Amino acid sequence: VAVTLRDVAAHVGVSPRTVSNVVNNFRYVSPATRILVQAAIDELDYRPNLLARSLRQGRTAVIGFLLPELDVPYFSELAHEMVEHAHTLGLTVLIDETTGSQEREVELLSVLARARQVDGIILSAIGLSGRRLAELRPTLPLVLLGERTTGSTVDHVTFDNVEAARQLVKHLIDQGRRRIAVIAAPASPGFATSNLRMRGCQSALWAAGVPYLPELTVRTPRWHRTEGYRAMAELLDRPNPPDAVVAFNDVLAIGALRLLHERGISVPQRIAVTGFDNIEDSRFSIPTLTTAGPEKADVARRALDVLVERIAGHTGPPRAVALPFSLQLRDSSLSSR
Amino acid sequence: VAVTLRDVAAHVGVSPRTVSNVVNNFRYVSPATRILVQAAIDELDYRPNLLARSLRQGRTAVIGFLLPELDVPYFSELAHEMVEHAHTLGLTVLIDETTGSQEREVELLSVLARARQVDGIILSAIGLSGRRLAELRPTLPLVLLGERTTGSTVDHVTFDNVEAARQLVKHLIDQGRRRIAVIAAPASPGFATSNLRMRGCQSALWAAGVPYLPELTVRTPRWHRTEGYRAMAELLDRPNPPDAVVAFNDVLAIGALRLLHERGISVPQRIAVTGFDNIEDSRFSIPTLTTAGPEKADVARRALDVLVERIAGHTGPPRAVALPFSLQLRDSSLSSR
DNA sequence: CTGTTAGCGCCTTCAC
DNA sequence: GTGAAGGCGCTAACAG
């Protein structure tokens, strides 16, 4: 039932070539024929079959965005920016979830890359190490998010996780906190986000001569609210509870806030809390949450720009884009207000 | 550089047909050749070009999911379920944002539908009226979410918004509330979600003989936290403030909670608050939020099932799937605890 | 400026 | 069981 280029051509009495020229806004079509053809297109309600076009041209104008989980606010906010900015570039976004497992990251990456369904891929990697990635030798333009791997062989966009963590902990120390707990996400090999943030924390403690208390570090299996809630409970049940908690993302922190509320422990008076990511919710939580992170719009914009450049054929050494980030000091960590 | 079916065939010394048979697990391939071909596939690392396959077969195994905004928790949670369930069906999901504007809903719908990039579409419509939709005569299987239009000409999956609102308000009345405010989303033509919820509220009030107070209804332009915050401020600034607030989704309610906290008004003691959607955050807000809605996994599952059935060629009258919903009574509305 | 031809990579009807 | 040929709808040479 679908109207094809041929149908339009036959209807007007020109060759398919001419119709194609009109559809693609090529020069060298006489105004008269252009009008004629356009009329036929409108009349028959013709739309080019993008599949056929993609097959022919070898490009699809679709990019794949692989992220751990769409229902984690950081990623949904990022996905939003991605879709929005992609749209301004005339691109569509195909989203798939990796659940943060290395196998699934590898699998999706290779499936997407080989199937020619997308022109390039943006991967928010959690489990994948730089080495493993290098072995894969991705066949498609690829931009990595959220992890800075030394000697990485692919483009990536990130921000200075170590420095951000350092500044957050320094802020807590400046506020007089001395027993600083950490709610960390799973340890991964290599330079995973969680490890970088841990390093920043320790560096700040060391610089201030405040002891790092390993017994006040809890590692959670995932980055969810529930995990933050559980981890906080665990911390309180230990002898000598903390006077501050650095959670490695905002939802973990929000889970912790919830538990503290239930136990009747006031924040920040008795325990200060900080997060990471600056998700929308951190401005509305009770109390509002101190956090740090880059602008998500920046992340999306830069990642797409680098990717588009590669798709356009740019060759050259892998780019490492480090975005600026900012600290948002809010009620959850400000003692004197 | 890409390896094609032909390359594999040439490498083994069989016809493309045979390779295709192996790839697609057809009967009637001798075990010997199957093994041989499979070996060549592995060796050359061949992957079928999905674009070519789709063009040939007329199906893409991709479904489009059009939603207002990915960074609104309800939709990101729903998208998560959609992607996950689609995966079990061997489908990929192409997500696009409509920002809730009718023009963009129409545009994306027709672009996607004609371009043959997807086999079917699930649309979480906000602005689109049933009538407008009927005029469009979508050329592709389409399932509508979140709005029940009378005499609709397309399949849709929803739940009983009127009844859910009625039960929430009845609950508030049972708790002794009498001055019940409403933070509603934009009024739209037809049977938009917001209108249905409003009707449910009024019906509950009427049934209990409690007056509906139009001066305590605020309509917000969007469904965001900030709007809930602003609307709540507006309500408090009016003479005779409410003793309960029904927000038409959870993020509006969370915005309202935030403002009430800043004004030092205790919830639920002085003002009770309820939302809609049962987003993850409603279990962690302070206080936890009373809310109502269907299981998002159900929504995704049923929508996909109906869509897949249509894609498979099922004809028949449009389906109207009404999902069960549940009330989650939590701290924000329970006076006696 | 426009028509003709070929082919992107795959699946599938028809033969053998 | 397997081979040969054709075409899904489009665009990119190459004429003219």
Side-chain angles (χ1 to χ4, degrees), chain A residues 45 80 114 258 281 285, chain B residues 45 114 225 258 281 285:
Chain A
D45 196 22
H80 167 70
R114 307 299 175 70
R258 175 77 220 154
D281 219 32
S285 61
Chain B
D45 198 20
R114 306 299 176 69
R225 292 175 183 84
R258 174 78 221 154
D281 219 31
S285 62

Side-chain angles (χ1 to χ4, degrees), chain B residues 232-234 236-237 258-265 270:
Chain B
M232 193 68 235
E234 209 178 314
L236 291 183
D237 292 344
R258 174 78 221 154
L259 184 103
L260 290 167
H261 175 78
E262 288 176 12
R263 298 275 178 102
I265 296 173
R270 278 186 47 204

Side-chain angles (χ1 to χ4, degrees), chain B residues 183-253:
Chain B
I183 299 181
S188 327
F191 295 76
T193 308
S194 195
N195 300 9
L196 297 175
R197 292 179 186 172
M198 182 60 89
R199 203 185 306 163
C201 292
Q202 292 173 333
S203 137
L205 292 169
W206 191 87
V210 175
Y212 166 64
L213 307 167
E215 71 273 20
L216 288 186
T217 289
V218 181
R219 291 205 173 266
T220 68
R222 310 173 69 199
W223 300 80
H224 286 199
R225 292 175 183 84
T226 323
E227 312 282 354
Y229 182 89
R230 271 202 223 116
M232 193 68 235
E234 209 178 314
L235 285 172
L236 291 183
D237 292 344
R238 294 181 184 175
N240 299 320
D243 58 11
V245 176
V246 177
F248 277 6
N249 79 358
D250 288 345
V251 284
L252 288 172

Side-chain angles (χ1 to χ4, degrees), chain A residues 200-229:
Chain A
C201 292
Q202 291 172 336
S203 138
L205 291 171
W206 191 86
V210 176
Y212 166 63
L213 307 167
E215 71 274 20
L216 289 185
T217 289
V218 181
R219 292 206 172 267
T220 66
R222 310 173 70 198
W223 301 81
H224 285 197
R225 291 176 183 84
T226 323
E227 313 282 353
Y229 182 89

Side-chain angles (χ1 to χ4, degrees), chain A residues 10 23 32 53 72 84 91 98 122 153 161 173 185 202 263 287 292 317 336:
Chain A
V23 170
R53 174 182 289 175
V72 172
E84 203 167 57
L91 298 172
T98 63
I122 294 176
T153 55
N161 274 293
I173 295 171
Q202 291 172 336
R263 297 275 179 100
S336 52

Side-chain angles (χ1 to χ4, degrees), chain A residues 168 250 275-278 282 289-293 326-330:
Chain A
L168 279 173
D250 288 345
F276 270 93
D277 291 348
N278 194 12
S282 67
L289 183 64
T290 290
T291 184
S326 67
L327 247 57
Q328 305 294 328
L329 302 183
R330 305 210 184 97

